[in-house]
Amino acid sequence: MAGAREFIGVAREEIGYQEGFSDGHWDNDNKFGRWYGMNEEAWCGMFVSWAADRSGNGDIVPRYAWCPAGVEWFQDRGRWSAYPAVGSVVFFGPGGGSHTGICIAYTDDEITTIEGNTNDSGSAEGDGVYLKTRPRKSSYIYGYGIPDFPEGAVVADPDWRGRPGVVHFGEQADESDIPAGGDTSSRPADREENRDGGTPESGDSSRQVVIDGLAYGPGSSGDHITRLGETLVRAGCGAYKEGPGPEWTEADTESMRRYQQKIGDTGADADGIPGPRQLARLTAEYGRARTVTVREGDTLSSIAAANDVPLSELTAANPQIGDPDTITPGETVTLP
């Protein structure tokens, strides 16, 4: 099965491989160049292409020998970032034309890579496949091509938050943060697994996920859980008899399930545990409360009609109002 783990795993097995040595020097004779059909040439891009092909990722990583061609391939598909990602293809030098490799982990200060045609000093004309650690903020790094992995991409780029098929881990991530694989033929765009490896197809509402570094699901707690509950109430999906509050409860699960069903998700995508796309959409649509101040003669029905919202959603967004036909002038009503 294709995926980031497979891509990295295939590349990792080649660490220590060295090209041919003849007449007292390294000669660029290597199996990656022979596979590519252009042997005895600089082979860093051919190594990346070979690892992608052998791991089943040949359709989401370009086949390239000339590094700028790899850069262009990712940029044309909107899969380019200045930030690292686990399993991303990193390009070095002006225009990304000097060298390339596979990023397998990153911190705020460093990236860890597997690179072909390099050496201990990090040369772009080395003798083998090496595991390297490089400064993340080096001007030598041009950028990263991020494959559209079937299980989702673990990225540092804040602009990719909420993007379909993306798991955001901020300043630090490694292979342990790669989500468990799913059905690559019908992958829901927003599903994300936590570090414990839950699967999207399981529909397991007892699991916990991590999105943008925050945990959601049973056992999670924090102000972000309260904010989520309040947003779900504004969306007209609240199932709370008390709260919302900072501890995840069954009411949070049911409220999230109602929202998932409201936007048309079903099955494992409506298990009451948010995915990154769902959370991003919920926040974009209902994250900031809209309110109106009740005037003399107003009812919830008249406010709903005036603001073009269903009365049922307006009622659900204002559980503090016991009688929808009896509201007090000066009172604040939240619009879903």
Side-chain angles (χ1 to χ4, degrees), residues 307-325:
N307 290 277
D308 194 27
V309 298
L311 177 59
S312 59
E313 293 188 10
L314 185 62
T315 302
N318 293 274
Q320 79 280 5
I321 298 176
D323 184 350
D325 294 321

Side-chain angles (χ1 to χ4, degrees), residues 95-120:
S98 299
H99 186 53
T100 187
I102 302 168
C103 176
I104 66 171
Y106 59 86
T107 68
D108 187 38
D109 299 316
E110 297 177 330
I111 62 170
T112 302
T113 61
I114 301 174
E115 303 169 23
N117 202 186
T118 189
N119 56 21
D120 285 329

Side-chain angles (χ1 to χ4, degrees), residues 2-4 7 52-53 55-63 70 73-74 77 79 87 89 145-152 187:
F7 186 31
D53 179 78
S55 63
N57 290 290
D59 58 337
I60 57 175
V61 175
R63 180 185 171 100
W73 191 95
F74 283 111
R77 289 159 177 79
R79 305 294 303 184
V89 181
I146 304 178
D148 187 12
F149 292 118
E151 73 276 28
R187 170 174 58 93

Side-chain angles (χ1 to χ4, degrees), residues 150-153 163-167 179-180 186-194 198-204 207 209 211 256 260 265-279:
E151 73 276 28
R163 180 169 172 166
V166 166
V167 181
S186 59
R187 170 174 58 93
D190 74 312
R191 299 314 294 160
E192 169 184 271
E193 291 73 39
N194 68 348
T199 61
E201 288 72 27
S202 67
D204 181 5
R207 66 189 177 91
V209 300
I211 302 173
M256 190 67 214
Q260 291 166 329
D265 288 339
T266 60
D269 293 328
D271 61 1
I273 306 301
R277 177 184 60 81
Q278 294 168 339
L279 188 60

Side-chain angles (χ1 to χ4, degrees), residues 81 83 136 155-163 168 170-171 212:
S81 176
Y83 292 79
R136 174 172 161 178
V155 305
D157 193 336
D159 290 339
W160 283 47
R161 290 179 179 175
R163 180 169 172 166
H168 180 80
E171 295 303 312
D212 293 347

Side-chain angles (χ1 to χ4, degrees), residues 125-197:
E125 286 292 340
D127 55 66
V129 179
Y130 288 76
L131 181 69
K132 304 294 299 178
T133 300
R134 293 181 180 270
R136 174 172 161 178
K137 297 177 175 66
S138 168
S139 60
Y140 185 49
I141 296 176
Y142 181 67
Y144 303 83
I146 304 178
D148 187 12
F149 292 118
E151 73 276 28
V154 178
V155 305
D157 193 336
D159 290 339
W160 283 47
R161 290 179 179 175
R163 180 169 172 166
V166 166
V167 181
H168 180 80
F169 269 108
E171 295 303 312
Q172 182 170 326
D174 56 32
E175 292 169 75
S176 68
D177 296 310
I178 299 172
D183 180 355
T184 61
S185 65
S186 59
R187 170 174 58 93
D190 74 312
R191 299 314 294 160
E192 169 184 271
E193 291 73 39
N194 68 348
R195 297 175 186 232
D196 297 324

